[in-house]
Amino acid sequence: MEAFLNLIQRITQYGTETIAKPDKPLALKKALVDLYALYVNLEPSFDERLYEEIERMDYGLVYAHVKVNFPEFHDYAQLAQFLDPNQKPEILTGDAIDDLSDLIIDLSEVAWRLQNTSLDDALWYFNTLMRVHSEEHLLNLLGYLKALESIKN
């Protein structure tokens, strides 16, 4: 549990404080890869107990912190549909700051559950959030970080 909390903290710190580390994009990329590895290998159990709900973090405050921590993050283009070869893909605009902000808010809820409910509840909640919301943000952000690396090299 402590290792999972530490991993969450490695990501959520960017939405709650100003971080003055020299290679934040690489540190973030490593944490996101570790998080994704945990998710794809997870087989959570459902905890049937009812727990109180928590208040979500303020999106605007998280977004503002992420923007300060990653001034190089901008909007990016992405394809909306790429599985059907007969359909012309639509190009959408993504937002790397939004991707990380949403991940931070979701992960902060998982951390709260780790500390205040049960391990099963937290892992099930994490798995569910990833499946229905966070996984797309995580994968988009990893692609964006890779593109940033390519520009720098």
Side-chain angles (χ1 to χ4, degrees), residues 1 3-16 28 31-36 38-39 42 54-57 62 99-116 122-123 125-131 133-135 137-138 141:
M1 183 165 80
F4 190 26
L5 279 170
N6 182 40
L7 175 57
I8 290 172
Q9 172 58 26
R10 287 169 43 204
I11 298 167
T12 59
Q13 66 180 339
Y14 300 114
T16 58
L28 176 61
L32 293 174
V33 168
D34 289 347
L35 185 73
Y36 200 54
L38 176 70
Y39 166 65
L42 187 64
I54 67 166
E55 190 172 320
R56 289 179 64 86
M57 294 175 74
V62 172
D99 288 332
L100 183 51
S101 297
D102 278 359
L103 278 168
I104 288 168
I105 291 169
D106 286 353
L107 289 172
S108 70
E109 292 184 23
V110 173
W112 183 89
R113 288 175 184 276
L114 280 167
Q115 297 167 325
N116 295 287
L123 292 176
Y125 196 77
F126 168 67
N127 187 66
T128 301
L129 281 174
M130 286 294 288
R131 190 176 63 249
H133 181 245
S134 301
E135 183 178 20
H137 286 296
L138 187 148
L141 190 52

CSV table of all heavy atoms in Angstrom, one decimal, residues 1 3-16 28 31-36 38-39 42 54-57 62 99-116 122-123 125-131 133-135 137-138 141:
chain,number,residue,atom,x,y,z
A,1,MET,N,0.8,-1.2,0.0
A,1,MET,CA,0.0,0.0,0.0
A,1,MET,C,0.9,1.3,0.0
A,1,MET,O,0.6,2.2,-0.7
A,1,MET,CB,-0.9,0.0,1.2
A,1,MET,CG,-1.9,1.2,1.2
A,1,MET,SD,-3.3,1.0,2.3
A,1,MET,CE,-2.5,1.5,3.9
A,3,ALA,N,3.8,1.6,-1.3
A,3,ALA,CA,4.4,1.8,-2.6
A,3,ALA,C,3.4,2.5,-3.5
A,3,ALA,O,3.8,3.3,-4.4
A,3,ALA,CB,4.9,0.5,-3.1
A,4,PHE,N,2.1,2.0,-3.4
A,4,PHE,CA,1.1,2.6,-4.3
A,4,PHE,C,0.9,4.1,-3.9
A,4,PHE,O,0.7,4.9,-4.8
A,4,PHE,CB,-0.2,1.8,-4.2
A,4,PHE,CG,-1.3,2.1,-5.2
A,4,PHE,CD1,-1.0,2.6,-6.4
A,4,PHE,CD2,-2.6,1.8,-4.9
A,4,PHE,CE1,-1.9,2.9,-7.3
A,4,PHE,CE2,-3.6,2.1,-5.8
A,4,PHE,CZ,-3.3,2.6,-7.0
A,5,LEU,N,0.8,4.4,-2.7
A,5,LEU,CA,0.7,5.8,-2.2
A,5,LEU,C,1.8,6.6,-2.7
A,5,LEU,O,1.6,7.8,-3.2
A,5,LEU,CB,0.5,5.9,-0.7
A,5,LEU,CG,-0.8,5.6,-0.1
A,5,LEU,CD1,-0.8,5.5,1.4
A,5,LEU,CD2,-1.8,6.6,-0.5
A,6,ASN,N,3.0,6.1,-2.6
A,6,ASN,CA,4.2,6.8,-3.1
A,6,ASN,C,4.1,7.1,-4.6
A,6,ASN,O,4.4,8.2,-5.1
A,6,ASN,CB,5.5,6.0,-2.8
A,6,ASN,CG,6.7,6.8,-3.2
A,6,ASN,OD1,6.8,8.0,-3.1
A,6,ASN,ND2,7.7,6.0,-3.7
A,7,LEU,N,3.7,6.1,-5.4
A,7,LEU,CA,3.5,6.2,-6.8
A,7,LEU,C,2.5,7.3,-7.1
A,7,LEU,O,2.7,8.2,-8.0
A,7,LEU,CB,3.1,4.9,-7.5
A,7,LEU,CG,2.7,4.9,-8.9
A,7,LEU,CD1,3.9,5.5,-9.8
A,7,LEU,CD2,2.4,3.5,-9.4
A,8,ILE,N,1.4,7.3,-6.4
A,8,ILE,CA,0.3,8.3,-6.6
A,8,ILE,C,0.9,9.7,-6.3
A,8,ILE,O,0.7,10.6,-7.0
A,8,ILE,CB,-0.9,8.0,-5.7
A,8,ILE,CG1,-1.6,6.8,-6.3
A,8,ILE,CG2,-1.9,9.2,-5.7
A,8,ILE,CD1,-2.8,6.2,-5.4
A,9,GLN,N,1.7,9.8,-5.2
A,9,GLN,CA,2.2,11.1,-4.8
A,9,GLN,C,3.2,11.6,-5.9
A,9,GLN,O,3.3,12.8,-6.1
A,9,GLN,CB,2.9,11.0,-3.5
A,9,GLN,CG,3.7,12.2,-3.1
A,9,GLN,CD,2.9,13.5,-3.0
A,9,GLN,OE1,1.7,13.5,-2.7
A,9,GLN,NE2,3.6,14.6,-3.2
A,10,ARG,N,3.9,10.7,-6.5
A,10,ARG,CA,4.9,11.1,-7.6
A,10,ARG,C,4.1,11.8,-8.8
A,10,ARG,O,4.7,12.6,-9.5
A,10,ARG,CB,5.6,9.9,-8.1
A,10,ARG,CG,6.7,9.4,-7.2
A,10,ARG,CD,7.3,8.0,-7.6
A,10,ARG,NE,7.6,7.9,-9.0
A,10,ARG,CZ,7.7,6.7,-9.6
A,10,ARG,NH1,7.4,5.5,-8.9
A,10,ARG,NH2,8.0,6.6,-10.9
A,11,ILE,N,2.8,11.5,-8.9
A,11,ILE,CA,2.0,12.1,-10.0
A,11,ILE,C,1.2,13.3,-9.4
A,11,ILE,O,1.2,14.4,-10.0
A,11,ILE,CB,1.1,11.1,-10.6
A,11,ILE,CG1,2.0,10.0,-11.3
A,11,ILE,CG2,0.2,11.7,-11.7
A,11,ILE,CD1,1.2,8.7,-11.7
A,12,THR,N,0.6,13.1,-8.3
A,12,THR,CA,-0.3,14.2,-7.8
A,12,THR,C,0.4,15.4,-7.3
A,12,THR,O,-0.2,16.5,-7.3
A,12,THR,CB,-1.3,13.6,-6.7
A,12,THR,OG1,-0.4,13.2,-5.6
A,12,THR,CG2,-2.2,12.5,-7.2
A,13,GLN,N,1.7,15.3,-7.0
A,13,GLN,CA,2.4,16.5,-6.5
A,13,GLN,C,2.4,17.6,-7.5
A,13,GLN,O,2.4,18.8,-7.1
A,13,GLN,CB,3.9,16.1,-6.2
A,13,GLN,CG,4.7,15.7,-7.5
A,13,GLN,CD,6.1,15.3,-7.2
A,13,GLN,OE1,6.6,15.7,-6.1
A,13,GLN,NE2,6.7,14.6,-8.1
A,14,TYR,N,2.3,17.3,-8.8
A,14,TYR,CA,2.3,18.3,-9.8
A,14,TYR,C,1.0,19.2,-9.9
A,14,TYR,O,1.0,20.2,-10.5
A,14,TYR,CB,2.6,17.7,-11.2
A,14,TYR,CG,3.9,17.0,-11.3
A,14,TYR,CD1,4.0,15.6,-11.5
A,14,TYR,CD2,5.1,17.7,-11.2
A,14,TYR,CE1,5.2,15.0,-11.5
A,14,TYR,CE2,6.3,17.1,-11.2
A,14,TYR,CZ,6.3,15.7,-11.4
A,14,TYR,OH,7.6,15.1,-11.5
A,15,GLY,N,0.0,18.7,-9.2
A,15,GLY,CA,-1.3,19.4,-9.2
A,15,GLY,C,-1.6,20.1,-7.8
A,15,GLY,O,-2.6,20.7,-7.7
A,16,THR,N,-0.6,20.0,-6.9
A,16,THR,CA,-0.9,20.6,-5.6
A,16,THR,C,0.2,21.5,-5.1
A,16,THR,O,0.0,22.2,-4.1
A,16,THR,CB,-1.0,19.4,-4.5
A,16,THR,OG1,0.2,18.7,-4.5
A,16,THR,CG2,-2.2,18.6,-4.9
A,28,LEU,N,7.7,12.4,-14.7
A,28,LEU,CA,6.3,12.1,-14.8
A,28,LEU,C,6.1,10.9,-15.7
A,28,LEU,O,5.3,10.0,-15.4
A,28,LEU,CB,5.6,13.3,-15.4
A,28,LEU,CG,4.1,13.2,-15.8
A,28,LEU,CD1,3.3,12.8,-14.5
A,28,LEU,CD2,3.6,14.5,-16.4
A,31,ALA,N,6.7,7.7,-13.8
A,31,ALA,CA,5.6,7.4,-12.9
A,31,ALA,C,4.3,7.0,-13.6
A,31,ALA,O,3.6,6.0,-13.2
A,31,ALA,CB,5.3,8.7,-12.1
A,32,LEU,N,4.0,7.6,-14.8
A,32,LEU,CA,2.8,7.1,-15.5
A,32,LEU,C,3.0,5.7,-16.0
A,32,LEU,O,2.0,4.9,-16.0
A,32,LEU,CB,2.6,8.1,-16.7
A,32,LEU,CG,2.2,9.5,-16.3
A,32,LEU,CD1,2.1,10.4,-17.6
A,32,LEU,CD2,0.8,9.5,-15.6
A,33,VAL,N,4.2,5.4,-16.5
A,33,VAL,CA,4.4,4.0,-17.0
A,33,VAL,C,4.3,3.0,-15.8
A,33,VAL,O,3.7,1.9,-16.0
A,33,VAL,CB,5.8,3.9,-17.6
A,33,VAL,CG1,6.2,2.4,-17.9
A,33,VAL,CG2,5.8,4.7,-18.9
A,34,ASP,N,4.8,3.3,-14.6
A,34,ASP,CA,4.6,2.5,-13.5
A,34,ASP,C,3.2,2.3,-13.1
A,34,ASP,O,2.7,1.2,-12.8
A,34,ASP,CB,5.4,3.0,-12.3
A,34,ASP,CG,6.9,2.9,-12.4
A,34,ASP,OD1,7.4,2.2,-13.3
A,34,ASP,OD2,7.6,3.6,-11.6
A,35,LEU,N,2.4,3.4,-13.2
A,35,LEU,CA,1.0,3.4,-12.9
A,35,LEU,C,0.3,2.5,-13.9
A,35,LEU,O,-0.6,1.7,-13.5
A,35,LEU,CB,0.4,4.8,-12.9
A,35,LEU,CG,-1.0,4.9,-12.5
A,35,LEU,CD1,-1.2,4.7,-11.0
A,35,LEU,CD2,-1.6,6.3,-12.9
A,36,TYR,N,0.6,2.6,-15.2
A,36,TYR,CA,-0.1,1.8,-16.2
A,36,TYR,C,0.2,0.3,-16.0
A,36,TYR,O,-0.6,-0.5,-16.2
A,36,TYR,CB,0.3,2.3,-17.6
A,36,TYR,CG,-0.7,1.9,-18.6
A,36,TYR,CD1,-2.1,2.1,-18.5
A,36,TYR,CD2,-0.3,1.2,-19.7
A,36,TYR,CE1,-3.0,1.7,-19.4
A,36,TYR,CE2,-1.2,0.8,-20.7
A,36,TYR,CZ,-2.6,1.1,-20.5
A,36,TYR,OH,-3.5,0.6,-21.5
A,38,LEU,N,0.9,-1.2,-13.3
A,38,LEU,CA,0.1,-1.6,-12.1
A,38,LEU,C,-1.4,-1.9,-12.6
A,38,LEU,O,-1.9,-3.0,-12.3
A,38,LEU,CB,0.1,-0.6,-11.0
A,38,LEU,CG,-0.8,-0.9,-9.8
A,38,LEU,CD1,-0.2,-2.1,-9.0
A,38,LEU,CD2,-0.9,0.3,-8.9
A,39,TYR,N,-1.9,-1.0,-13.3
A,39,TYR,CA,-3.3,-1.1,-13.8
A,39,TYR,C,-3.5,-2.4,-14.7
A,39,TYR,O,-4.4,-3.1,-14.4
A,39,TYR,CB,-3.7,0.1,-14.5
A,39,TYR,CG,-5.0,0.0,-15.3
A,39,TYR,CD1,-6.2,-0.3,-14.7
A,39,TYR,CD2,-5.0,0.0,-16.7
A,39,TYR,CE1,-7.4,-0.4,-15.4
A,39,TYR,CE2,-6.2,-0.1,-17.4
A,39,TYR,CZ,-7.4,-0.4,-16.8
A,39,TYR,OH,-8.5,-0.5,-17.5
A,42,LEU,N,-3.5,-5.6,-12.7
A,42,LEU,CA,-4.4,-5.6,-11.5
A,42,LEU,C,-5.6,-6.5,-11.7
A,42,LEU,O,-6.2,-6.5,-12.7
A,42,LEU,CB,-4.8,-4.2,-11.2
A,42,LEU,CG,-5.6,-3.9,-9.9
A,42,LEU,CD1,-4.7,-4.2,-8.7
A,42,LEU,CD2,-6.0,-2.5,-9.9
A,54,ILE,N,-15.9,11.3,-0.9
A,54,ILE,CA,-15.1,12.4,-0.7
A,54,ILE,C,-15.4,13.6,-1.6
A,54,ILE,O,-15.9,13.4,-2.7
A,54,ILE,CB,-13.6,12.1,-0.7
A,54,ILE,CG1,-13.2,11.7,-2.2
A,54,ILE,CG2,-13.2,10.9,0.2
A,54,ILE,CD1,-11.7,11.7,-2.4
A,55,GLU,N,-15.0,14.7,-1.2
A,55,GLU,CA,-15.1,15.9,-2.1
A,55,GLU,C,-13.9,15.9,-3.1
A,55,GLU,O,-12.8,15.8,-2.6
A,55,GLU,CB,-15.1,17.2,-1.2
A,55,GLU,CG,-15.5,18.4,-2.0
A,55,GLU,CD,-15.6,19.6,-1.1
A,55,GLU,OE1,-16.2,19.5,0.0
A,55,GLU,OE2,-15.2,20.7,-1.5
A,56,ARG,N,-14.2,16.1,-4.3
A,56,ARG,CA,-13.2,16.1,-5.4
A,56,ARG,C,-12.4,17.4,-5.2
A,56,ARG,O,-12.9,18.4,-4.8
A,56,ARG,CB,-13.8,16.0,-6.7
A,56,ARG,CG,-14.4,14.6,-7.0
A,56,ARG,CD,-15.0,14.5,-8.4
A,56,ARG,NE,-14.1,14.7,-9.5
A,56,ARG,CZ,-13.4,13.7,-10.1
A,56,ARG,NH1,-13.4,12.5,-9.6
A,56,ARG,NH2,-12.6,13.9,-11.1
A,57,MET,N,-11.1,17.3,-5.6
A,57,MET,CA,-10.2,18.4,-5.7
A,57,MET,C,-10.8,19.4,-6.7
A,57,MET,O,-11.5,19.1,-7.6
A,57,MET,CB,-8.8,18.0,-6.1
A,57,MET,CG,-8.1,17.1,-5.2
A,57,MET,SD,-6.5,16.6,-5.8
A,57,MET,CE,-5.5,18.1,-5.6
A,62,VAL,N,-6.0,22.6,-9.5
A,62,VAL,CA,-5.1,21.6,-10.0
A,62,VAL,C,-4.6,22.0,-11.4
A,62,VAL,O,-3.4,21.9,-11.6
A,62,VAL,CB,-5.8,20.2,-10.1
A,62,VAL,CG1,-5.0,19.2,-10.8
A,62,VAL,CG2,-6.2,19.7,-8.7
A,99,ASP,N,-5.2,16.6,-19.4
A,99,ASP,CA,-5.0,15.1,-19.2
A,99,ASP,C,-4.4,14.9,-17.8
A,99,ASP,O,-4.9,14.0,-17.0
A,99,ASP,CB,-4.1,14.6,-20.2
A,99,ASP,CG,-4.7,14.5,-21.6
A,99,ASP,OD1,-5.9,14.3,-21.7
A,99,ASP,OD2,-4.0,14.5,-22.6
A,100,LEU,N,-3.3,15.6,-17.5
A,100,LEU,CA,-2.7,15.4,-16.2
A,100,LEU,C,-3.5,15.9,-15.0
A,100,LEU,O,-3.6,15.2,-14.0
A,100,LEU,CB,-1.3,16.2,-16.1
A,100,LEU,CG,-0.5,16.0,-14.9
A,100,LEU,CD1,-0.3,14.5,-14.5
A,100,LEU,CD2,0.9,16.7,-15.0
A,101,SER,N,-4.3,17.0,-15.2
A,101,SER,CA,-5.2,17.4,-14.1
A,101,SER,C,-6.2,16.4,-13.8
A,101,SER,O,-6.5,16.1,-12.6
A,101,SER,CB,-5.8,18.7,-14.5
A,101,SER,OG,-4.9,19.8,-14.7
A,102,ASP,N,-6.8,15.8,-14.8
A,102,ASP,CA,-7.9,14.8,-14.5
A,102,ASP,C,-7.2,13.6,-13.8
A,102,ASP,O,-7.8,13.0,-12.9
A,102,ASP,CB,-8.5,14.4,-15.8
A,102,ASP,CG,-9.7,15.3,-16.2
A,102,ASP,OD1,-9.9,16.3,-15.5
A,102,ASP,OD2,-10.3,15.1,-17.3
A,103,LEU,N,-6.1,13.2,-14.3
A,103,LEU,CA,-5.4,12.0,-13.6
A,103,LEU,C,-5.1,12.3,-12.2
A,103,LEU,O,-5.3,11.5,-11.3
A,103,LEU,CB,-4.0,11.7,-14.3
A,103,LEU,CG,-4.1,10.9,-15.6
A,103,LEU,CD1,-2.8,10.9,-16.3
A,103,LEU,CD2,-4.5,9.4,-15.2
A,104,ILE,N,-4.6,13.5,-11.9
A,104,ILE,CA,-4.3,13.9,-10.5
A,104,ILE,C,-5.6,13.9,-9.6
A,104,ILE,O,-5.5,13.4,-8.5
A,104,ILE,CB,-3.7,15.3,-10.5
A,104,ILE,CG1,-2.2,15.2,-11.0
A,104,ILE,CG2,-3.7,15.9,-9.1
A,104,ILE,CD1,-1.6,16.6,-11.4
A,105,ILE,N,-6.7,14.4,-10.1
A,105,ILE,CA,-7.9,14.4,-9.3
A,105,ILE,C,-8.4,13.0,-9.1
A,105,ILE,O,-8.7,12.6,-7.9
A,105,ILE,CB,-9.0,15.3,-10.0
A,105,ILE,CG1,-8.6,16.7,-10.0
A,105,ILE,CG2,-10.3,15.0,-9.4
A,105,ILE,CD1,-9.4,17.7,-10.9
A,106,ASP,N,-8.3,12.1,-10.1
A,106,ASP,CA,-8.8,10.7,-9.9
A,106,ASP,C,-7.8,10.0,-8.9
A,106,ASP,O,-8.3,9.3,-8.0
A,106,ASP,CB,-8.8,10.0,-11.3
A,106,ASP,CG,-10.0,10.4,-12.1
A,106,ASP,OD1,-10.9,11.1,-11.7
A,106,ASP,OD2,-10.0,10.0,-13.3
A,107,LEU,N,-6.5,10.2,-9.1
A,107,LEU,CA,-5.6,9.5,-8.2
A,107,LEU,C,-5.6,10.0,-6.8
A,107,LEU,O,-5.4,9.2,-5.8
A,107,LEU,CB,-4.2,9.7,-8.8
A,107,LEU,CG,-3.9,8.9,-10.0
A,107,LEU,CD1,-2.5,9.2,-10.6
A,107,LEU,CD2,-4.0,7.4,-9.8
A,108,SER,N,-6.0,11.3,-6.6
A,108,SER,CA,-6.1,11.8,-5.2
A,108,SER,C,-7.3,11.1,-4.5
A,108,SER,O,-7.2,10.8,-3.3
A,108,SER,CB,-6.3,13.3,-5.2
A,108,SER,OG,-7.6,13.7,-5.7
A,109,GLU,N,-8.3,10.7,-5.2
A,109,GLU,CA,-9.4,10.0,-4.7
A,109,GLU,C,-9.0,8.6,-4.3
A,109,GLU,O,-9.4,8.0,-3.3
A,109,GLU,CB,-10.6,10.0,-5.6
A,109,GLU,CG,-11.3,11.3,-5.8
A,109,GLU,CD,-12.5,11.3,-6.6
A,109,GLU,OE1,-13.1,10.3,-6.8
A,109,GLU,OE2,-12.8,12.4,-7.1
A,110,VAL,N,-8.2,8.0,-5.1
A,110,VAL,CA,-7.7,6.6,-4.9
A,110,VAL,C,-6.8,6.7,-3.6
A,110,VAL,O,-6.9,5.8,-2.7
A,110,VAL,CB,-6.9,6.1,-6.1
A,110,VAL,CG1,-6.2,4.7,-5.7
A,110,VAL,CG2,-7.8,5.9,-7.3
A,111,ALA,N,-6.0,7.7,-3.5
A,111,ALA,CA,-5.1,7.8,-2.3
A,111,ALA,C,-5.9,8.0,-1.1
A,111,ALA,O,-5.6,7.4,0.0
A,111,ALA,CB,-4.2,9.0,-2.5
A,112,TRP,N,-7.0,8.8,-1.1
A,112,TRP,CA,-7.9,9.0,0.0
A,112,TRP,C,-8.5,7.6,0.4
A,112,TRP,O,-8.5,7.3,1.6
A,112,TRP,CB,-9.0,10.0,-0.3
A,112,TRP,CG,-9.8,10.3,0.9
A,112,TRP,CD1,-9.6,11.2,1.8
A,112,TRP,CD2,-11.0,9.6,1.2
A,112,TRP,NE1,-10.6,11.2,2.8
A,112,TRP,CE2,-11.5,10.2,2.4
A,112,TRP,CE3,-11.8,8.5,0.7
A,112,TRP,CZ2,-12.7,9.7,3.1
A,112,TRP,CZ3,-12.9,8.1,1.3
A,112,TRP,CH2,-13.4,8.7,2.5
A,113,ARG,N,-8.9,6.9,-0.5
A,113,ARG,CA,-9.5,5.6,-0.3
A,113,ARG,C,-8.5,4.6,0.4
A,113,ARG,O,-8.8,3.8,1.3
A,113,ARG,CB,-10.1,4.9,-1.5
A,113,ARG,CG,-11.4,5.7,-1.9
A,113,ARG,CD,-12.0,5.1,-3.2
A,113,ARG,NE,-13.1,5.9,-3.6
A,113,ARG,CZ,-14.4,5.7,-3.2
A,113,ARG,NH1,-14.6,4.8,-2.3
A,113,ARG,NH2,-15.4,6.5,-3.6
A,114,LEU,N,-7.2,4.6,-0.1
A,114,LEU,CA,-6.2,3.8,0.5
A,114,LEU,C,-6.0,4.1,1.9
A,114,LEU,O,-5.7,3.2,2.7
A,114,LEU,CB,-4.9,4.0,-0.3
A,114,LEU,CG,-4.7,3.3,-1.6
A,114,LEU,CD1,-3.5,3.8,-2.3
A,114,LEU,CD2,-4.5,1.8,-1.4
A,115,GLN,N,-6.1,5.4,2.3
A,115,GLN,CA,-5.9,5.8,3.7
A,115,GLN,C,-7.1,5.8,4.5
A,115,GLN,O,-7.0,5.7,5.8
A,115,GLN,CB,-5.4,7.3,3.7
A,115,GLN,CG,-4.0,7.4,3.0
A,115,GLN,CD,-3.6,8.8,2.7
A,115,GLN,OE1,-4.5,9.6,2.4
A,115,GLN,NE2,-2.3,9.1,2.8
A,116,ASN,N,-8.3,5.7,4.0
A,116,ASN,CA,-9.6,5.9,4.8
A,116,ASN,C,-10.6,4.8,4.6
A,116,ASN,O,-11.6,4.7,5.3
A,116,ASN,CB,-10.2,7.2,4.4
A,116,ASN,CG,-9.4,8.4,4.9
A,116,ASN,OD1,-9.2,8.7,6.0
A,116,ASN,ND2,-8.8,9.0,3.9
A,122,ALA,N,-10.0,0.7,-2.6
A,122,ALA,CA,-9.1,1.6,-3.3
A,122,ALA,C,-8.7,1.0,-4.6
A,122,ALA,O,-8.7,1.7,-5.7
A,122,ALA,CB,-7.9,2.0,-2.5
A,123,LEU,N,-8.3,-0.2,-4.7
A,123,LEU,CA,-7.9,-0.9,-5.9
A,123,LEU,C,-9.0,-1.1,-6.9
A,123,LEU,O,-8.9,-0.9,-8.1
A,123,LEU,CB,-7.2,-2.2,-5.6
A,123,LEU,CG,-5.9,-2.1,-4.9
A,123,LEU,CD1,-5.3,-3.5,-4.6
A,123,LEU,CD2,-4.8,-1.3,-5.7
A,125,TYR,N,-11.7,0.9,-7.0
A,125,TYR,CA,-12.0,2.2,-7.5
A,125,TYR,C,-11.0,2.7,-8.5
A,125,TYR,O,-11.3,3.2,-9.5
A,125,TYR,CB,-12.0,3.2,-6.2
A,125,TYR,CG,-12.7,4.5,-6.5
A,125,TYR,CD1,-14.0,4.6,-6.5
A,125,TYR,CD2,-11.9,5.6,-6.7
A,125,TYR,CE1,-14.6,5.8,-6.8
A,125,TYR,CE2,-12.5,6.9,-6.9
A,125,TYR,CZ,-13.9,6.9,-6.9
A,125,TYR,OH,-14.4,8.2,-7.2
A,126,PHE,N,-9.7,2.4,-8.2
A,126,PHE,CA,-8.6,2.8,-9.2
A,126,PHE,C,-8.9,2.1,-10.5
A,126,PHE,O,-8.8,2.7,-11.6
A,126,PHE,CB,-7.3,2.4,-8.6
A,126,PHE,CG,-6.1,2.4,-9.6
A,126,PHE,CD1,-5.7,3.6,-10.1
A,126,PHE,CD2,-5.5,1.2,-10.0
A,126,PHE,CE1,-4.6,3.6,-11.1
A,126,PHE,CE2,-4.4,1.2,-10.9
A,126,PHE,CZ,-4.0,2.4,-11.4
A,127,ASN,N,-9.1,0.8,-10.5
A,127,ASN,CA,-9.4,0.0,-11.7
A,127,ASN,C,-10.6,0.5,-12.5
A,127,ASN,O,-10.5,0.7,-13.7
A,127,ASN,CB,-9.6,-1.5,-11.3
A,127,ASN,CG,-9.7,-2.4,-12.5
A,127,ASN,OD1,-8.7,-2.5,-13.3
A,127,ASN,ND2,-10.9,-2.9,-12.8
A,128,THR,N,-11.6,0.9,-11.8
A,128,THR,CA,-12.8,1.4,-12.4
A,128,THR,C,-12.5,2.8,-13.0
A,128,THR,O,-12.9,3.0,-14.2
A,128,THR,CB,-14.0,1.5,-11.4
A,128,THR,OG1,-14.2,0.2,-10.9
A,128,THR,CG2,-15.2,2.0,-12.1
A,129,LEU,N,-11.9,3.7,-12.3
A,129,LEU,CA,-11.6,5.0,-12.8
A,129,LEU,C,-10.7,4.9,-14.1
A,129,LEU,O,-10.9,5.6,-15.1
A,129,LEU,CB,-10.9,5.8,-11.8
A,129,LEU,CG,-11.7,6.5,-10.7
A,129,LEU,CD1,-10.9,7.2,-9.7
A,129,LEU,CD2,-12.7,7.5,-11.3
A,130,MET,N,-9.7,4.0,-14.0
A,130,MET,CA,-8.8,3.8,-15.2
A,130,MET,C,-9.6,3.3,-16.4
A,130,MET,O,-9.5,3.9,-17.5
A,130,MET,CB,-7.7,2.9,-14.9
A,130,MET,CG,-6.6,3.4,-14.0
A,130,MET,SD,-5.7,4.8,-14.7
A,130,MET,CE,-4.7,3.8,-15.9
A,131,ARG,N,-10.5,2.4,-16.2
A,131,ARG,CA,-11.2,1.8,-17.3
A,131,ARG,C,-12.2,2.8,-17.9
A,131,ARG,O,-12.3,2.8,-19.2
A,131,ARG,CB,-12.0,0.5,-16.8
A,131,ARG,CG,-12.6,-0.3,-17.9
A,131,ARG,CD,-13.2,-1.6,-17.4
A,131,ARG,NE,-14.3,-1.3,-16.5
A,131,ARG,CZ,-14.4,-1.6,-15.2
A,131,ARG,NH1,-13.3,-2.1,-14.6
A,131,ARG,NH2,-15.4,-1.3,-14.5
A,133,HIS,N,-12.3,6.3,-17.4
A,133,HIS,CA,-11.9,7.7,-17.6
A,133,HIS,C,-10.4,7.9,-17.7
A,133,HIS,O,-9.9,8.5,-18.7
A,133,HIS,CB,-12.4,8.5,-16.4
A,133,HIS,CG,-12.1,9.9,-16.4
A,133,HIS,ND1,-11.3,10.6,-15.5
A,133,HIS,CD2,-12.5,10.9,-17.3
A,133,HIS,CE1,-11.2,11.8,-15.8
A,133,HIS,NE2,-11.9,12.1,-16.9
A,134,SER,N,-9.6,7.5,-16.8
A,134,SER,CA,-8.2,7.9,-16.7
A,134,SER,C,-7.3,7.3,-17.7
A,134,SER,O,-6.3,7.9,-18.0
A,134,SER,CB,-7.7,7.6,-15.3
A,134,SER,OG,-8.5,8.2,-14.3
A,135,GLU,N,-7.6,6.1,-18.1
A,135,GLU,CA,-6.7,5.4,-19.0
A,135,GLU,C,-6.4,6.2,-20.3
A,135,GLU,O,-5.3,6.3,-20.8
A,135,GLU,CB,-7.2,4.0,-19.4
A,135,GLU,CG,-6.3,3.2,-20.3
A,135,GLU,CD,-6.8,1.8,-20.5
A,135,GLU,OE1,-8.0,1.5,-20.4
A,135,GLU,OE2,-5.9,0.9,-20.9
A,137,HIS,N,-6.7,9.4,-20.7
A,137,HIS,CA,-5.8,10.6,-20.4
A,137,HIS,C,-4.4,10.1,-20.2
A,137,HIS,O,-3.5,10.8,-20.7
A,137,HIS,CB,-6.3,11.2,-19.1
A,137,HIS,CG,-7.6,12.0,-19.2
A,137,HIS,ND1,-7.7,13.1,-20.0
A,137,HIS,CD2,-8.8,11.9,-18.6
A,137,HIS,CE1,-8.9,13.6,-19.9
A,137,HIS,NE2,-9.6,12.9,-19.1
A,138,LEU,N,-4.2,9.0,-19.5
A,138,LEU,CA,-2.8,8.5,-19.3
A,138,LEU,C,-2.1,8.2,-20.6
A,138,LEU,O,-1.0,8.6,-20.9
A,138,LEU,CB,-2.8,7.3,-18.4
A,138,LEU,CG,-1.5,6.8,-17.9
A,138,LEU,CD1,-1.6,6.2,-16.6
A,138,LEU,CD2,-0.9,5.7,-18.9
A,141,LEU,N,-1.4,11.4,-22.6
A,141,LEU,CA,-0.3,12.1,-22.0
A,141,LEU,C,1.1,11.4,-22.3
A,141,LEU,O,2.1,12.1,-22.6
A,141,LEU,CB,-0.5,12.2,-20.5
A,141,LEU,CG,0.4,13.2,-19.7
A,141,LEU,CD1,0.5,14.6,-20.4
A,141,LEU,CD2,-0.1,13.3,-18.3
